[in-house]
Each structure stands twice: as C-alpha cells, then as structure tokens.
Amino acid sequence: MEYEISLLTVMGINIVLALSLNIITGFCGQISLGHAAFYGTGAYCAALATTQWGMSFWSGGLLAMVVAAIFGFFVGFASLRVRDDFLAITTMGVGFLFLGVVRQQDALGGEMGIAGVPGSGLGEFGFMILVLATAVLVIAFSLYIKRSWLGFAFDAIAQDQDTSRTVGIDIARFKLAAFVLGTAIAGLAGSFYAHHVRFVGIDSFGFIESISILAMVVVGGIGSIWGVVVVAAVLSVLPLWLQFVADYQLLIYGALLFSVMQFNQGGLDGIVRQLVRKWRAND
C-alpha cells in the first residue's frame, strides 16, 4: 500500500509540474528548456524554510511559490526580446546557471544537497490526498485560463505575435503573466517534491528533468490539458516500473519528442482528435 501511495504522489507532483510548463509553452507559445530550475527553486526554498528557518510546511510552500514566481518574472523579463530558438537557448542557459549557482553555495548543500527535510505532518496518505487535490485544482485553473480572456490573449500571442501587437494586445505583460503563473506552480510542485522525498539534491533538477517535463507537454499535445495530464501520469511512473526507461531516460524522451514533432505535432491530443474525426466520418 505504501508503494501505491508513493506512486500516486509522484504522479500528482508531475501532473502539477507539467501543467505549470503547459501554461508557458502550451498556452503562450514560449518554449522553455530550463523549467527544472523553477522546480528546483521551489524545492530548495521549501527545504531551507523547514530545516533551517523554522517555518511550517504550509508557509514554506507559499514561500517556494513566491520565490519561484519572482525568479520566473526576471527570466521572463530577460526573455522578452527573444523568440523561438533563441528563447529555448536562453531558458536552457538559465537551467545551467541555476545548477552552477547551487553547486557553489554551501548554504544550499552544494553537491551534497539538503537532507532531513521534514514531512508535511499529514501522513503519507494525507499528503497524497493533498497532492492529488492540488493537481485537480491546477487542472481546473488551467481550464479556467484557457477559456478566459487571458487564455485568448495567450493563444493569440502563441499563434502570431505581430498580429497580436497590431490588435492592441500587450505582449510583454501577457508573456510575463504566463511566466509568473507557470513558475509559481512549478515552485509549489518543487515544495511537494522536497517534502515527499525528504531530500533535495542538485541532480534532480538538471537538463534531463527539464527535457522530461517538456516531453510531457509536447507528447501530450502542446496546449492540451487532458493530454498533458495523461502523458505526465504515464511518464512519471514508467521509470519506476521499467528500469531501462530510468537508465535511458534522456534517449527515450528525446526520441518521443522527435517522433511527435516529426509525425504528429498535436501529440496524444492530436492523435485522438484525428481518430474521433475519422470515426465520425465513417458513421
């Protein structure tokens, strides 16, 4: 039973994390190859808050969200002048910068990380319920954004920035909003991760993790919500079920990204939509 609880907790954390990137990349069209840096920021903030600063699990989680959002604001602000490939390279650089800074800081544990992170105080089952409930809330929040005026603005920017500017959309403000929202949620996921694993180490937030998160979004369908949720749930448990997936994670996820971009850019969501259209046409 403990294994199943841990599995569902990991699944819920990864769903929250994937949906946080989906707001930035899926809704607003800003490709990020360094999203693990914001995830790690939340994890380290929560770990420091509860192990060294005497803060509770709840206040530490809130701090993780705020600090990750501030980090996201500055990264988003610095990225306003770049697009597409240059944006991807910029965010990848942010990810490497995060790793380099943490490795040099003894206060953050350096290469050794931070051990002894306390639990949530809710028990394993209670914590699992909290994580899964949060995942449901993030799904509902994503649906709300997609159907709101904010979602329409994000979609317009993702489709054509020049046209969006012509019709009066403040591109800079909405891009920053996407970064702040997405990174704040990533920080929350990082807080959950820290209290679930009870240890925070730099190896958990490297480039492979960023590619894993991006794979969940792209394979699920960029901008899709249900597709991202399904793929995030599956890909988060595959390395735990199959050892070869854990051993060759970067290779497998890279192959998935290549296959989707080469053969069906709509991902799982696009495949299902095509099948539904064919089924309706045959009827």
Side-chain angles (χ1 to χ4, degrees):
M1 186 64 180
E2 290 183 3
Y3 176 74
E4 287 78 8
I5 290 175
S6 178
L7 206 63
L8 287 171
T9 302
V10 171
M11 191 181 296
I13 292 172
N14 279 284
I15 288 172
V16 172
L17 183 58
L19 288 173
S20 72
L21 179 60
N22 198 38
I23 292 174
I24 298 171
T25 299
F27 291 0
C28 205
Q30 302 179 85
I31 301 298
S32 175
L33 293 179
H35 202 61
F38 308 107
Y39 181 43
T41 298
Y44 273 96
C45 280
L48 289 172
T50 52
T51 59
Q52 299 184 26
W53 301 337
M55 298 175 68
S56 68
F57 163 74
W58 303 100
S59 56
L62 180 61
L63 178 67
M65 291 182 69
V66 171
V67 173
I70 293 172
F71 184 21
F73 174 84
F74 284 109
V75 172
F77 185 79
S79 303
L80 288 177
R81 294 182 179 275
V82 294
R83 296 189 192 180
D84 304 327
D85 296 343
F86 293 103
L87 176 60
I89 293 170
T90 300
T91 53
M92 182 170 62
V94 168
F96 288 128
L97 179 63
F98 170 78
L99 297 177
V101 169
V102 172
R103 281 197 170 99
Q104 299 300 319
Q105 300 300 315
D106 292 336
L108 299 176
E111 295 284 355
M112 301 301 293
I114 302 174
V117 180
S120 64
L122 302 172
E124 292 185 0
F125 183 78
F127 184 64
M128 179 198 72
I129 295 299
L130 173 64
V131 171
L132 294 178
T134 302
V136 172
L137 288 175
V138 175
I139 291 170
F141 181 62
S142 297
L143 288 169
Y144 171 77
I145 289 178
K146 195 165 187 176
R147 295 171 181 173
S148 69
W149 59 270
L150 184 61
F152 287 119
F154 284 166
D155 187 58
I157 293 170
Q159 295 297 324
D160 191 329
Q161 291 191 33
D162 294 328
T163 302
S164 300
R165 187 179 292 106
T166 304
V167 298
I169 295 176
D170 189 338
I171 294 176
R173 186 176 69 172
F174 285 108
K175 278 187 171 183
L176 284 175
F179 255 101
V180 169
L181 289 173
T183 54
I185 296 172
L188 178 61
S191 172
F192 286 157
Y193 172 84
H195 290 287
H196 174 61
V197 179
R198 311 286 183 89
F199 171 79
V200 176
I202 195 62
D203 291 337
S204 300
F205 310 107
F207 184 64
I208 292 178
E209 185 64 26
S210 290
I211 292 297
S212 301
I213 305 165
L214 183 63
M216 294 173 187
V217 174
V218 174
V219 176
I222 295 177
S224 168
I225 296 173
W226 76 267
V228 171
V229 170
V230 170
V231 172
V234 173
L235 292 185
S236 63
V237 299
L238 272 183
L240 303 177
W241 285 343
L242 303 172
Q243 185 59 44
F244 80 90
V245 175
D247 293 339
Y248 300 98
Q249 189 170 346
L250 184 59
L251 177 63
I252 292 171
Y253 287 4
L256 284 172
L257 285 169
F258 175 80
S259 299
V260 169
M261 299 310 294
Q262 185 70 24
F263 302 110
N264 193 318
Q265 296 185 8
L268 178 63
D269 180 71
I271 292 171
V272 171
R273 289 178 184 273
Q274 288 179 4
L275 292 174
V276 170
R277 282 196 295 267
K278 290 180 179 178
W279 177 70
R280 289 177 176 175
N282 291 332
D283 285 350

